[in-house]
Amino acid sequence: MTAVRELQAAGHHVLVVGDGVNDAPALAAADTGVAMGRAGSDLALETADAVVVRDELAAVPTVVGLSRAARRLVAQNLVIAGAFI
């Protein structure tokens, strides 16, 4: 958790991926916490912002890419709606 706070103090956005066994406080302190669903503890599943149901770390970059694409799409929709209104 100390490393998360140091990175945030340096101006970085922090994403923590964990199973919640020892890292639930870091998941809670991070800007975004991702818990591994199958092996994760109940505390991690409730603390995290997102849960990967399959315990595959390869899914995390895909999820991040999808969230960035969704954010761009929402921003585009807001600009278009604002232009027409």
Side-chain angles (χ1 to χ4, degrees):
M1 187 165 97
T2 305
V4 172
R5 295 288 183 205
E6 289 174 1
L7 287 169
Q8 288 174 331
H12 298 285
H13 295 284
V14 180
L15 173 110
V16 174
V17 179
D19 59 359
V21 175
N22 293 329
D23 52 7
L27 285 170
D31 295 314
T32 305
V34 178
M36 305 308 281
R38 193 174 304 163
S41 68
D42 291 337
L43 179 61
L45 298 179
E46 291 185 23
T47 303
D49 298 310
V51 176
V52 177
V53 178
R54 296 178 296 160
D55 287 341
E56 295 180 18
L57 285 176
V60 174
T62 304
V63 169
V64 171
L66 286 172
S67 69
R68 287 180 177 162
R71 184 176 180 158
R72 281 192 305 269
L73 185 64
V74 167
Q76 290 170 1
N77 286 338
L78 289 173
V79 168
I80 291 170
F84 281 106
I85 292 175

